[in-house]
Amino acid sequence: MRLALKKLHLSLHSSIDRIELTGVIYFFGPIGSGKSSIGPLIDFCLGGSYAWTPALQAEMVSAGLEMSVNDIPVMLNRDRDSSQVMAAWQDGGETLQVLIPARTG
């Protein structure tokens, strides 16, 4: 199975931020700018738990992950307090969706 991460979408109260994940990736910025939150947010979209930082706890609405599975585009979306991940993809011009329970410890 081939997985390729494309883009991380963060829906915040004040904005929608998109982080490109294709190619060679490195993140830089000042301390406290959220660089170390990117990996855990990807895991959150894949169903993992997340220990919310005060900034994300105040601003986060939902997170989405654009990816491909065996060259099929898939979008994963999860609301901040949700215990489910919504996966959506196209098949023959039809949009298919499924709710997936998040992992538990």
Side-chain angles (χ1 to χ4, degrees):
M1 179 182 303
R2 288 184 320 275
L3 299 175
L5 305 179
K6 306 289 184 182
K7 197 179 293 188
L8 180 65
H9 301 258
L10 299 176
S11 180
L12 308 171
H13 288 295
S14 59
S15 66
I16 295 176
D17 292 336
R18 292 172 183 86
I19 301 168
E20 294 287 334
L21 300 171
T22 56
V24 175
I25 302 169
Y26 65 94
F27 301 102
F28 64 93
I31 293 173
S33 63
K35 301 176 300 293
S36 61
S37 295
I38 294 170
L41 282 167
I42 291 170
D43 184 55
F44 176 75
C45 291
L46 294 169
S49 60
Y50 188 80
W52 299 105
T53 63
L56 280 176
Q57 190 170 23
E59 285 295 315
M60 181 79 159
V61 175
S62 65
L65 181 63
E66 265 182 65
M67 59 187 295
S68 66
V69 179
N70 290 339
D71 299 323
I72 298 171
V74 176
M75 184 69 184
L76 302 177
N77 287 295
R78 186 171 177 195
D79 292 336
R80 186 185 80 178
D81 297 323
S82 178
S83 62
Q84 299 177 327
V85 177
M86 169 70 75
W89 66 97
Q90 296 281 322
D91 185 26
E94 183 179 11
T95 299
L96 302 173
Q97 295 181 338
V98 64
L99 282 175
I100 305 164
R103 298 187 311 256
T104 56

